[in-house]
Each structure stands twice: as structure tokens, then as C-alpha cells.
């Protein structure tokens, strides 16, 4: 294979289901991904996808190429991890993948202190979903009640969720809670469901949906309506008020995940120990009831 980028682009499109999603995952322009994928097919003399402009269905030959590319990707990843494991120096870069909310409200809260204490260790933080086939970093910080079995991990806390709105917005309703606008998580379905134990909200009262918790948070801060947020955000924002004091609507475990063979690399071990201790000190607000 002349160029590993060809396989990397092909794998991203095959796994994500479309050129648009694959381009987003890779951080590339959609037209660039489309052009490179077409050139790759022409060089191979194969149609890797069947019958759709979105290229979301692998052809038989595409499936064969996919299986081989996935094996090659795993071998390259194993080599890189083994090389990293030989690094006995304290310094270097720790690569962390997480979500925007966990990055902004948990990682950033301790990053300044960490960088000051360990001047030889840098952090590289990327916000993305964990790939079904591999962990795209040294560490992954995610909220999930079903962590991947093949990854070594540590449960840091169980984050609780509750209903919040801007204090000024609640005051403007003057007690007319039936007029409250609600903002809902978009789970990709035509009628997104509310989290378990959440209040029953008429569909007409749900005026905005988003697949980004960060967007929902900003919408609440702008006084657009109410939504469900992690308590470690809602309880620390003086401009927000919990609508049901003493009640939570759901919970999710927060995990720090890694490949088992990386956990003894000095710089990674240092960050794990530091971050675990700082989260332990914040468990009271993360697990707010």
C-alpha cells in the first residue's frame, strides 16, 4: 500500500457510515475526503461501496479491504503502544480523548495545577467518541455505564443528573411552571426520549434539541429554557437553579480508560494518580443528590 492515509480515510468512512461523518471524525474537509476516497478506489480498480451517494454500504471487495485494513491498523497501534511502553522517562505527552463537557468541567479544573507540578509532561486533549475498534489515545475519560471490556479502567465517580434552568428565567415565569420551555438531548431519533425518571414533558414544550450537552448548557445560560445537566455543572453555576431540589433524574459512571500495557508508563501513571486524587476530592459535587 503506497499511502497509509488512504486506508485511514477508508476506515473512517466505513466505520462512521458516511463521508460527512468520516470527515468530521478525521478533522478534514468533506470534499477532501470524497476526492481522496475516489482516487483510492480508482488506484485499486475497485468499488469499495455500493449503491448510495453517502457511501454507507461496503461492497464485497470493500469488506475484504476493510478487514485487512483493520488488522493492519491494530498491528500499527500495538507497535506504537509497545514503543511507548519502553519509554522510562518521566517527561513526554499524555494523549487524552474525552467529551467536551468532561474536558471543560473536570479536566480543565485540574490541568493548571498538573502542568505546574509536572513541567516535563504535556497534555494533548481531543474531544471525540470512542471508536468501536480502538482507543485513539493513551487515556479516555468518558461517562458510561457500560465500559468496553477489553480496556483497563478505573471508575472515578458516579455523576448524577438533575433538571436546571437559569435563575432569571425561572423568576420570569412567576410560578407558571406549565409555561416552562424544555431543551432536550437529541439521541438521533425522530422523537428523542427523555432520560429515565425525568419529568414527563409534553412534546410541544420541547422547543430545542441538540446532540451536544455543551450546547444545551449554553442555551440554559441564555435563558431559553430548562434541561437536564450533570450536577457537577449545575450545582457550581450561581446563575442556575435546580428545579427539583434533592432529586436526581439519572446517573452515569465516569471512567478513566486505557490499554492495560500503558498503565505503567511513568508519565501516564503520574497523570492517572494525580487526576484520580483530584476527582476523589470532588466526588461530593459530582455525586450530588
Amino acid at each position: 500500500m503506497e499511502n497509509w492515509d488512504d486506508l485511514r480515510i477508508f476506515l473512517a468512512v466505513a466505520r462512521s457510515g458516511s463521508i460527512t461523518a468520516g470527515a468530521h471524525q478525521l478533522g478534514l474537509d468533506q470534499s477532501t475526503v470524497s476526492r481522496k476516497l475516489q482516487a483510492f478506489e480508482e488506484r485499486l480498480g475497485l468499488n469499495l461501496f455500493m449503491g448510495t451517494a453517502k457511501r454507507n454500504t461496503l461492497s464485497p471487495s470493500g469488506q475484504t479491504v476493510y478487514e485487512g485494513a483493520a488488522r493492519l491498523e491494530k498491528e500499527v497501534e500495538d507497535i506504537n503502544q509497545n514503543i511507548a511502553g519502553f519509554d522510562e522517562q518521566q517527561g513526554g505527552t499524555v494523549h487524552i480523548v474525552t467529551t467536551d463537557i468532561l474536558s471543560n468541567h473536570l479536566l480543565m479544573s485540574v490541568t493548571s495545577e498538573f502542568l505546574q507540578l509536572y513541567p516535563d509532561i504535556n497534555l494533548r486533549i481531543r474531544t471525540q467518541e470512542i471508536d468501536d475498534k480502538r482507543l485513539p489515545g493513551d487515556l479516555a475519560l468518558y461517562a458510561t455505564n457500560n465500559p468496553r471490556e477489553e480496556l483497563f479502567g478505573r471508575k472515578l465517580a458516579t455523576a448524577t443528573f438533575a433538571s436546571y434552568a437559569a435563575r432569571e428565567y425561572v423568576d420570569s415565569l412567576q410560578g407558571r411552571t406549565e409555561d416552562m420551555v424544555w431543551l432536550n438531548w437529541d439521541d438521533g431519533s425522530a422523537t428523542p426520549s427523555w432520560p429515565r425518571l425525568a419529568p414527563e414533558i409534553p412534546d410541544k414544550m420541547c422547543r430545542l434539541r441538540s446532540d451536544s450537552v455543551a450546547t444545551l448548557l449554553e442555551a440554559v445560560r441564555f435563558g431559553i429554557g430548562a434541561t437536564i445537566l450533570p450536577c457537577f455543572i449545575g450545582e457550581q453555576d450561581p446563575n442556575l437553579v435546580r428545579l427539583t431540589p434533592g432529586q436526581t433524574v439519572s446517573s452515569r459512571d465516569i471512567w478513566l480508560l486505557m490499554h492495560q500495557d500503558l498503565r505503567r508508563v511513568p508519565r501516564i501513571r503520574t497523570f492517572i494518580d494525580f487526576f484520580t486524587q483530584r476527582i476523589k476530592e470532588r466526588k461530593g459535587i459530582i455525586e450530588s443528590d
Side-chain angles (χ1 to χ4, degrees):
M1 188 62 58
E2 295 180 359
N3 192 340
W4 166 249
D5 281 346
D6 292 335
L7 291 179
R8 185 170 65 93
I9 290 172
F10 167 65
L11 286 171
V13 172
R15 286 169 177 163
S16 61
S18 72
I19 287 178
T20 300
H24 178 75
Q25 177 182 318
L26 294 167
L28 297 175
D29 181 80
Q30 179 179 343
S31 61
T32 298
V33 171
S34 177
R35 175 173 50 80
K36 287 182 174 292
L37 187 58
Q38 182 178 358
F40 182 43
E41 288 180 313
E42 291 174 354
R43 286 196 299 274
L44 293 178
L46 298 172
N47 291 322
L48 300 176
F49 297 88
M50 295 189 302
T52 170
K54 292 186 177 181
R55 297 179 180 272
N56 58 356
T57 303
L58 285 169
S59 67
S61 57
Q63 183 64 39
T64 299
V65 174
Y66 175 84
E67 292 171 0
R71 287 195 300 270
L72 179 59
E73 178 186 56
K74 181 63 170 59
E75 291 175 3
V76 171
E77 180 183 355
D78 289 343
I79 291 172
N80 289 335
Q81 289 172 0
N82 288 334
I83 292 173
F86 294 141
D87 183 2
E88 297 180 356
Q89 300 302 314
Q90 172 69 28
T93 299
V94 178
H95 298 253
I96 306 167
V97 291
T98 185
T99 61
D100 49 7
I101 285 294
L102 293 179
S103 175
N104 295 345
H105 296 274
L106 291 185
L107 269 179
M108 289 302 103
S109 68
V110 302
T111 292
S112 177
E113 181 186 4
F114 179 82
L115 294 178
Q116 290 179 32
L117 288 174
Y118 302 99
D120 295 328
I121 302 178
N122 300 321
L123 300 180
R124 182 180 181 186
I125 300 170
R126 297 169 58 197
T127 56
Q128 66 179 79
E129 294 300 319
I130 296 182
D131 190 281
D132 289 339
K133 302 296 182 181
R134 63 191 182 97
L135 177 64
D138 299 326
L139 301 173
L141 179 66
Y142 279 92
T144 176
N145 291 336
N146 298 291
R148 285 169 47 186
E149 295 181 357
E150 70 271 21
L151 295 176
F152 176 81
R154 178 180 298 183
K155 188 174 82 169
L156 303 180
T158 299
T160 53
F161 292 70
S163 303
Y164 293 90
R167 193 176 302 276
E168 290 186 3
Y169 175 72
V170 174
D171 292 343
S172 72
L173 294 176
Q174 298 181 339
R176 302 187 309 276
T177 56
E178 69 277 6
D179 294 334
M180 183 172 291
V181 169
W182 284 86
L183 320 173
N184 193 3
W185 170 259
D186 188 342
D187 61 11
S189 66
T191 56
S193 60
W194 288 89
R196 184 175 60 88
L197 301 182
E200 291 295 329
I201 308 297
D203 187 65
K204 66 179 181 179
M205 300 304 295
C206 182
R207 303 297 307 283
L208 182 150
R209 294 183 172 93
S210 175
D211 63 355
S212 166
V213 178
T215 296
L216 292 176
L217 172 60
E218 290 308 306
V220 169
R221 286 173 170 168
F222 274 112
I224 297 174
T227 196
I228 293 167
L229 294 170
C231 293
F232 62 79
I233 295 176
E235 297 302 313
Q236 297 188 95
D237 191 324
N239 297 316
L240 300 185
V241 59
R242 189 190 288 203
L243 302 179
T244 53
Q247 297 182 30
T248 58
V249 299
S250 61
S251 64
R252 298 189 78 182
D253 296 333
I254 298 178
W255 287 82
L256 190 61
L257 303 170
M258 70 210 76
H259 289 286
Q260 189 165 351
D261 54 0
L262 289 181
R263 59 179 171 158
R264 292 186 178 87
V265 176
R267 65 180 180 276
I268 295 176
R269 180 79 264 160
T270 297
F271 179 82
I272 292 172
D273 291 343
F274 173 87
F275 187 67
T276 299
Q277 179 59 34
R278 292 300 178 271
I279 293 300
K280 183 178 180 180
E281 295 167 0
R282 291 164 169 75
K283 284 187 73 171
I285 193 71
I286 296 172
E287 299 182 343
S288 177
D289 53 21

